[in-house]
Every structure is written in C-alpha cells, then in structure tokens.
Amino acid sequence: MDETRRLERFAERLDGLGPEFERWPATDAGEAYALIARSAQARALHADARRLAGLVAEAAQADAPNGFAFRVVSDIEARNADRLGWLVGSPRRFALAGGSVCAAALALGVLLGSIAAPAQADDADPDLGSPLVSIEDAEL
C-alpha cells in the first residue's frame, strides 16, 4: 500500500474512531503510531482531529439556559397538537383528507394493475391459465 493510500485510510479512521488510539483496534493503533512517527502529514491530521475533538467536548459541556430544553419540547408538542387539531377540528377537512388518501390509493392500484397485468399471446389457450374448474366440467 502506498503512502497516499495509508494517509487516506488514516484520515478515515480518525473520522470514524477519533484521535484516541486506545479506542482503536490494536492492529490499527499500531499502524497509526508507526505512521505518525514517520509522516508529518499524519501528525498534522492527528493534531487537527484532536483539536476538533476538544472543541466538541467543550461544546457538549456548555450549559443551556434554564428551561431551554423544556421550552423546545413543549413548542414542538404544541405545534403537533395544533396540526392535529386543525385536521380533526373540522369534519369537512377530516373527510377531505380521508377521501384524498382513498382516491390516491385507488389511483395507484389502477395504475399498478394496468402495468403489472400479464399480457396473453394471441395463440394462448385461455383454459390453461385458469386454475378453477367448474363443477360441470369435473368428472365424478
């Protein structure tokens, strides 16, 4: 494997596993230590990944204002309730929505039925395709 491919693979591993080699599989961690020892570009990639991990950790520790999460969740719940109330609050809107869904399902069924219907050849025997036998045709 050439050095460029090793660096690409190293960058992918940094993105996926993070800059702490203790969390990497042992063979990959050993390769990473060796690559960092011989490549300035690998050291730069590792330093960037460590900086980014530090910034993410700092952001995760930042406190949100009191009640912020509660306000966000309650706002989402209120919006969902408003939408449902708008639909259910009027029998005409509810019937229109239900009728639209039924009409769309019917149109889709007709479309799929016209596309998926098997075509019969002109010389095909219609009796061969039918699994049903009438009582009159059956011999007892």
Side-chain angles (χ1 to χ4, degrees):
M1 185 181 324
D2 67 335
E3 196 68 18
T4 304
R5 179 64 191 132
R6 281 191 181 101
L7 286 171
E8 288 174 359
R9 186 167 182 251
F10 178 67
E12 289 171 3
R13 294 290 179 155
L14 279 173
D15 287 342
L17 300 172
E20 296 85 23
F21 297 139
E22 296 80 28
R23 296 182 4 196
W24 290 30
T27 55
D28 292 340
E31 292 174 10
Y33 284 123
L35 186 61
I36 283 180
R38 71 175 180 268
S39 171
Q41 200 171 8
R43 286 190 295 275
L45 287 170
H46 187 246
D48 288 344
R50 289 179 62 188
R51 231 176 286 120
L52 179 62
L55 291 173
V56 169
E58 284 179 27
Q61 292 176 357
D63 287 335
N66 287 338
F68 179 71
F70 178 75
R71 287 193 312 266
V72 168
V73 170
S74 63
D75 185 45
I76 291 170
E77 288 175 350
R79 288 181 186 196
N80 287 340
D82 288 344
R83 287 184 188 139
L84 184 61
W86 177 83
L87 181 63
V88 177
S90 169
R92 174 181 268 168
R93 276 183 272 190
F94 190 74
L96 182 61
S100 299
V101 169
C102 290
L106 178 66
L108 182 63
V110 169
L111 178 67
L112 290 177
S114 66
I115 293 172
Q120 289 189 353
D122 293 334
D123 59 345
D125 186 5
D127 290 336
L128 292 178
S130 175
L132 301 175
V133 177
S134 69
I135 296 177
E136 297 163 355
D137 292 339
E139 293 182 24
L140 298 175

